[in-house]
Amino acid sequence: MKIQQVKNRTIIENKFYKEKADKLKPNFNKNIIHPISIIEMTPDVNEIHGWKSNVVEPAADLKGKDFGKGDTFILDFGKHLVGYLTTNIKPVGSPPDAPLHLRLTFGEMPVEVAEPFSNYNGWISSSWLQEEMLHVDVLPEVLSLPRRYSFRYVKVEVLDTSAKYRVSFEDIYCNTVTSADSKNVVPLNSSDKELNVIDQVSINTLKDCTQSVFEDGPKRDRRMWLGDLRLQALANYETFQNNDLVKRCLYLFAAVPNEEGQIAANLFMEPQLMPDDTYLYDYSLFFTTTLYDYYMVTKDLETLDDLWPIAYRQIELGLERLDERNIVKDDETWWSFIDWNDDLNKQAPSQAILIYAMKKAKKLAQILNNKETYRFLQKKIEDVTESTLQHLWDKDVEFFVSGSDYQVSWASQVWMVISGVLDQKSNLKLMNRLLTEKPSIMMNTPYMYHHLAEALLLLGEKKKTITIIKEYWGGMIKDGADTFWELYNPSNKDYSPYGSHLINSYCHAWSCTPTYLIRKYNL
């Protein structure tokens, strides 16, 4: 054991877990991709974020052009990429008597190369905006950027040369990187062409987020978050089958809990393994459910046996938050994620997630023949479920309520259905009422829409699920997505919890699950 002191926390590093994770480092698959078009961006109120890309000429025509001070061009690579950009720059005219000053702007969406980043006014760091300002002192130069970028579009601005020379860009390409192996993916070949497209965009999203770990987003935050990992793992089992990477991620999370044994919400990989100082009630519980999902696919009893103690510790910590009524305490001392929605009260959905996680833990205890823990969890599930029905079910409105204001939200109903607090018939009535009455506390992320879809599938509602998948994820594709986005609110397409859609991630792990839903449930 190694102890780290980080910002008033004590991190207990488990060397055994870390060494197991290190042995599972993946190999990378690389590919050279060239741009397909030179484009221009034009304002268009009918397009998402107000910008439309228009093809000017093929990218191959770039070789016959040269550029001087103030010149700009935008390249479209035709699809979302994650990797490293290289360009071969040559001087044209007199010998260069001053450095070349360049600005390169990378965009996952047209808006990112259409609007200047100086317009950004969000509350998270502008350093996530993908831009390089650089001087090239010696020409010709094969310029390879050391930083990995996530993009489809690249804007090249020649800020200055000198009056005596111009420059040409003889070759520009991206060396893409992913640890996902597309050869393992079985084509869907559905008779429903729209589902085929949605499935492929889901796979593209997962592939670009699959790096040395399962990242949440290759543009931002480029970290491993537990909530994303859980959903990535489910999609992975149905597609790339990179199960050793799931195993690696589980061991990494287990390797660095805090002094109470709680697993952090996300991890940094560089310069060394370190947990963030964010701890989320629901995410910690998802470690246990992710381990359960992994075991059910792989039957890897050794890993289950290794990780069971810390998985069960997350359940114990979750139970410690219950009050004398067996209801999750809702005050200023905790944070549960659930969804990006400032108006959402998290008590009831967190209560449901605790029940859901306990049920998974109970099954693991049974597999491990841990009879005492099995009996304890069985009794606790019964007690907490009874308390949930007594204190959080409102018979008058026929919805679960949350917090001191008795809030009715989509998230509360969805998670209560997934956790099985009610019987199947009552769950079906609840979901039909939810879809009919549409409470005002809505959902803002593909993360929460995934849970809505899965709740319906658990009730056998395939047609309704297909409609939601086509309207929501299909809506993203109609709005220009070739990988699925971190955030999408069809009624407010400029929504961002960060204060600006420029900083949103347009390739995000928790959005990749339609491929899981379609394949797992035979849609």
Side-chain angles (χ1 to χ4, degrees):
M1 295 289 183
K2 179 181 177 182
I3 297 177
Q4 301 179 36
Q5 288 295 143
V6 183
K7 194 182 176 182
N8 301 320
R9 294 177 297 142
T10 302
I11 305 303
I12 312 298
E13 184 178 301
N14 187 305
K15 185 178 180 182
F16 172 74
Y17 290 160
K18 186 175 182 301
E19 287 178 350
K20 282 212 164 185
D22 288 343
K23 290 177 182 177
L24 294 165
K25 286 182 179 178
N27 296 318
F28 284 90
N29 297 303
K30 300 180 179 181
N31 198 15
I32 300 296
I33 304 294
H34 287 84
I36 62 170
S37 303
I38 300 172
I39 61 171
E40 63 180 9
M41 298 297 177
T42 55
D44 189 331
V45 294
N46 296 315
E47 297 292 326
I48 192 165
H49 307 323
W51 292 96
K52 181 180 181 180
S53 64
N54 301 284
V55 175
V56 176
E57 55 191 323
D61 292 354
L62 188 66
K63 291 183 179 180
K65 299 180 182 297
D66 55 68
F67 302 89
K69 179 178 180 179
D71 289 336
T72 298
F73 62 92
I74 302 173
L75 297 173
D76 180 0
F77 281 75
K79 61 181 179 179
H80 188 275
L81 306 175
V82 175
Y84 300 86
L85 191 79
T86 293
T87 178
N88 183 5
I89 309 173
K90 293 184 177 180
V92 177
S94 298
D97 60 339
L100 166 65
H101 191 193
L102 281 178
R103 175 161 51 214
L104 303 175
T105 305
F106 298 81
E108 295 180 312
M109 291 289 287
V111 66
E112 295 169 86
V113 293
E115 294 183 6
F117 287 162
S118 57
N119 289 353
Y120 175 70
N121 59 355
W123 62 265
I124 61 173
S125 177
S126 63
S127 63
W128 285 118
L129 298 171
Q130 299 186 104
E131 184 178 65
E132 291 273 5
M133 297 270 288
L134 60 150
H135 291 79
V136 182
D137 291 309
V138 179
L139 292 170
E141 170 75 1
V142 177
L143 179 67
S144 295
L145 300 184
R147 188 168 189 260
R148 193 190 77 194
Y149 281 99
S150 177
F151 64 97
R152 173 173 172 169
Y153 308 101
V154 178
K155 180 165 68 174
V156 179
E157 297 176 82
V158 179
L159 300 179
D160 212 347
T161 53
S162 79
K164 296 183 65 176
Y165 78 98
R166 295 166 66 83
V167 290
S168 66
F169 296 85
E170 296 295 305
D171 194 15
I172 296 181
Y173 62 87
C174 177
N175 190 6
T176 65
V177 289
T178 176
S179 61
D181 189 346
S182 297
K183 293 194 296 291
N184 294 333
V185 181
V186 178
L188 182 63
N189 293 329
S190 169
S191 59
D192 189 322
K193 293 182 179 180
E194 187 175 359
L195 285 184
N196 279 327
V197 173
I198 292 171
D199 176 76
Q200 188 57 56
V201 174
S202 302
I203 291 169
N204 294 343
T205 306
L206 178 59
K207 180 188 71 174
D208 283 354
C209 293
T210 304
Q211 301 296 327
S212 66
V213 294
F214 284 110
E215 294 182 353
D216 67 323
K219 168 186 168 182
R220 203 215 80 240
D221 300 322
R222 298 162 64 151
R223 276 177 266 165
M224 179 168 63
W225 286 79
L226 246 174
D228 297 80
L229 170 62
R230 170 176 165 265
L231 299 187
Q232 285 169 290
L234 293 174
N236 167 77
Y237 301 140
E238 302 299 324
T239 54
F240 297 109
Q241 302 170 53
N242 192 354
N243 299 341
D244 276 352
L245 190 63
V246 180
K247 181 178 177 179
R248 165 173 159 78
C249 293
L250 286 167
Y251 275 108
L252 286 169
F253 271 112
V256 282
N258 66 13
E259 67 273 18
E260 294 182 349
Q262 186 176 13
I263 290 175
N266 68 89
L267 303 181
F268 298 95
M269 295 298 113
E270 302 291 345
Q272 62 185 20
L273 175 63
M274 182 180 294
D276 193 9
D277 56 1
T278 300
Y279 293 84
L280 299 174
Y281 184 84
D282 51 343
Y283 275 31
S284 294
L285 290 168
F286 285 145
F287 179 85
T288 308
T289 70
T290 306
L291 177 60
Y292 170 85
D293 295 334
Y294 170 80
Y295 175 79
M296 296 307 293
V297 169
T298 65
K299 306 303 180 186
D300 181 354
L301 189 59
E302 178 183 344
T303 297
L304 174 57
D305 195 52
D306 283 347
L307 298 179
W308 168 250
I310 194 159
Y312 184 61
R313 180 59 184 150
Q314 307 317 300
I315 301 296
E316 292 178 326
L317 290 167
L319 289 170
E320 287 177 10
R321 182 137 201 104
L322 298 180
D323 62 19
E324 67 281 354
R325 304 171 301 158
N326 271 333
I327 300 297
V328 172
K329 286 180 284 189
D330 184 31
D331 56 32
E332 299 298 322
T333 64
W334 77 316
W335 187 15
S336 192
F337 175 68
I338 310 300
D339 193 24
W340 272 123
N341 189 332
D342 291 338
D343 297 324
L344 175 64
N345 184 275
K346 313 296 180 70
Q347 182 187 51
S350 297
Q351 180 92 0
I353 289 169
L354 174 61
I355 294 169
Y356 173 78
M358 283 196 292
K359 288 181 176 179
K360 302 299 186 186
K362 186 185 77 169
K363 291 180 181 179
L364 293 179
Q366 185 178 31
I367 292 165
L368 292 167
N369 199 29
N370 192 329
K371 295 178 181 178
E372 183 179 350
T373 301
Y374 178 87
R375 287 192 295 267
F376 170 79
L377 286 171
Q378 179 65 43
K379 180 66 166 60
K380 205 67 182 176
I381 291 166
E382 292 171 0
D383 292 345
V384 176
T385 300
E386 182 181 347
S387 296
T388 302
L389 292 171
Q390 181 181 349
H391 297 288
L392 299 182
W393 176 252
D394 190 318
K395 294 179 181 179
D396 295 330
V397 299
E398 296 187 281
F399 282 121
F400 287 96
V401 295
S402 187
S404 58
D405 293 334
Y406 306 107
Q407 180 189 88
V408 175
S409 70
W410 286 70
S412 294
Q413 317 318 312
V414 165
W415 270 112
M416 288 295 178
V417 169
I418 292 174
S419 68
V421 170
L422 299 172
D423 60 46
Q424 197 80 337
K425 184 178 180 180
S426 299
N427 275 335
L428 188 56
K429 288 182 178 179
L430 175 59
M431 288 303 292
N432 286 331
R433 198 157 47 249
L434 176 68
L435 295 173
T436 300
E437 297 191 18
K438 295 180 170 58
S440 61
I441 306 299
M442 289 287 293
M443 303 170 291
N444 283 325
T445 62
Y447 177 76
M448 195 59 231
Y449 270 86
H450 160 84
H451 296 110
L452 171 65
E454 187 144 41
L456 287 168
L457 287 171
L458 291 172
L459 300 173
E461 294 283 358
K462 287 189 176 183
K463 289 184 179 179
K464 289 179 181 177
T465 305
I466 291 171
T467 298
I468 287 170
I469 289 173
K470 288 183 175 182
E471 288 180 351
Y472 190 72
W473 283 273
M476 275 190 257
I477 292 174
K478 289 173 184 175
D479 278 329
D482 52 7
T483 53
F484 287 130
W485 306 334
E486 173 187 18
L487 301 147
Y488 187 62
N489 184 336
S491 62
N492 178 14
K493 294 180 181 180
D494 283 337
Y495 172 74
S496 173
Y498 315 115
S500 171
H501 54 250
L502 282 173
I503 207 79
N504 289 358
S505 168
Y506 295 95
C507 174
H508 212 77
W510 68 26
S511 309
C512 74
T513 56
T515 188
Y516 160 75
L517 299 168
I518 292 166
R519 291 165 182 258
K520 178 71 173 179
Y521 294 95
N522 297 314
L523 300 186

